[in-house]
Amino acid sequence: MNATVNLSPSPTTIPGVLRDDDSDTIRLSEYLDILIDRKWLVAGVTCIAVALGAAYALLSTPIYQSNLLIQVEDSTPDAKNFLGDTANLFDVKTPASGEIQIIRSRMIMGGAVEATRLYISAAPRYIPVIGKWLARRANGLSEPGFLGMSGYVSGTEAINIAKFDVPPALEDQKPFIITVQPDDRYILTHPDLDEPLHGTIGTVLSQQVRGGAIVLIVSRLDGKPGAQFVVSRASVLSMTETLQNRVQLSEQGKQSNVISATLEDSDRARLRSILDEIGVQYVRQNVERKAAEAEKTLEFLDKQLPDFKKQLESSEDVYANFRNKNGTIAFDEEAKAVLGQAVQLQTKLLESEQMRRELLSRFTEINPKIRVVDGQIAAFRQELDGIERRVSAMPVLQRDALRLERDVRVNGELYKSLLNSSLQLRLVKEGKVGNVRLLDKATEPKRPVKPQKSLVVALSVVLGLLVGVALAIARSKMASGIHNPQEIEDRLGLSVYSVVPQALEQDALLQLIATGAGGAQVLAVTAPESLAIESLRNLRISLQLAMMESGSNRVLVTGATPGVGKSFVSSNYAVIMAQAGKRVLLIDADLRKGHINKSFGLPRQGGLADVLAGDMACEQAIHSQVLPNLDVLTTGNYPFNPANMMLSSALGDILDGASQRYDLVVIDSPPVLVAADAAAVSAHVGAILLVARDGLTQIGELSESVKRLAHANQRVSGVVFNGMDLSRRHYGSYGYKYGGYRYTEYKYKQAD
């Protein structure tokens, strides 16, 4: 069985030229590694969120909730009861939704605002943030003042204002300040007042100001002299609108006609008084509304009752005269039945006609209600016509007696019904009957409904985790630096000769150098077993091949930007090669900010710049045997024109002479994108090593550096990826496409 292998060549790439990446794929493992790498960020954000949530739950003012229940009954006795079976046409019920709108109206809410003086707000001037929390736990009055600011309190200070009227221009504006004075006196101040006003507790303070008068009655003021209270006066309209939005009204159950009014407030006593007043205002308006309706109907009945009474008396007189003249007439069974039907139908006919007259006072002829009544009247008349024909067939004496007795009965029933309705309406008019009642009054709640401390803390934990995770992912995705050396090879086509892990020991060396410690403070000397040094040893083979191709023993170490660690790489690489038995010269060619001399405890003066200027010979400037097999040429005095010095022919002569005396010449130059010095030096070397730093160097910076060196007809030999964080699990999308890096120390076992 033959196996077929695809040997299709990969697309040709030009070193240093950016290529488009493959489309990224969302991987859960990638995000998991991001979170593990930035676990302290997530934990820190979560802790901050929990701390803020706990502070809010602890310091926020408790909010209490209470409610009252109102029942809307179906109907009340009224003047329509005498209309019999058709009374339901006039029993117009207001649905619960309509009653809810009545409760929410300005008539009810505004009345509650005025009755409870909700438009007046007065409270101690508490210390910011923690003042109310301290006051809830205080056992007495506090000493006024906070951090040098007078007036702030944190104790059991209290105030009660019986009346506070201000000009309309001062309503809903900045608050007034009341400052306690000795002997039950106080001072009232406001930015718009020309001068403070002085008052006494329990007496009226009245003062004419611009736009009107200020009238204030302080009935209670508990506080030490100097304590301040914040008092504001809102307009009744604005506070009514606020209360309308705060009160929650709903029907309890479906078509139950039971309405719940719920309110939240920080003051339990004020909460109860507001709800109770809303209930009182609503019941009162309902009774007054029923009384007004009863008065209108009663006025109509008062006009009709005398007419019906006269009509009844007239029919009784005619019937009495008939019986006096003809005596008592006995009716047979048929006549009695006809009489009963006639009385019933005639009564209904008169009720319907009365109903029609009342409806016409409110509706037009084409109203459906009036049309229904007209149909009933027509039906009653048709039935009465049939009875009248039966009565007409009876004997004359019996017929007349039957008609007269019918009239007496009909008029008597109508008059009795109207008189009974009139009495009921008088009760309604007196305000003693309504169709609403309070089922449950408001109570002072014992426990607050807000904040729910456990819920707040739980939500803060969740929110903190979400924000922390989002911030960690955002920072990882927004990081523009290179995190994986594979990205350099795939996007620029440059070879990465070595990946140098972070060297924690280097931080200690930098501190020693900063303190002026002498001697060679180079990692390859102080910690030769370090992973970073072991990684730099890989450069020996890679650079040896590159220099063999060029026929030169000179290596230029540079970077795209400052801070990538080029001096660290060049110094330690030179030491490693010297330890391997090579005769090495390390040249600090960064005539702007070179500092290699500090790593070896050497003076900067008397170096390359002085040789290029002709002030001293090269042999005099070189520090010999700084370490075994290692000589160092420092920068010398920083020159005024380093770029011109690098372009001089003297540099080539110095390097040619060094190549003859040394096996390897390592040159540390300024960054490529900062100065043109690196391009000038690159013309004299056989290999160019570009240093990139994990998370700092950007792919575009490397690409631009390669282009600038290419303009000088020089080609970058390879890249050293410096400072890689081995504790990090996420190396970017390239880490998942091409695999990540893992390093482990591998030491020789000590002999027993």
Side-chain angles (χ1 to χ4, degrees), residues 37-58:
D37 290 339
R38 302 183 183 271
K39 55 183 177 296
W40 296 116
L41 173 63
V42 177
V45 172
T46 303
C47 291
I48 293 174
V50 172
L52 293 176
Y56 170 78
L58 183 65

Side-chain angles (χ1 to χ4, degrees), residues 147-165:
L147 298 179
M149 298 179 289
S150 62
Y152 288 99
V153 297
S154 59
T156 58
E157 287 76 11
I159 185 173
N160 187 22
I161 296 180
K163 185 175 182 179
F164 188 36
D165 295 332

Side-chain angles (χ1 to χ4, degrees), residues 40 86 153 174 262 283 313 357 453 509 751:
W40 296 116
T86 57
V153 297
K174 294 181 179 179
T262 306
V283 172
E313 291 174 349
R357 285 192 292 271
K453 297 181 180 180
L509 292 179

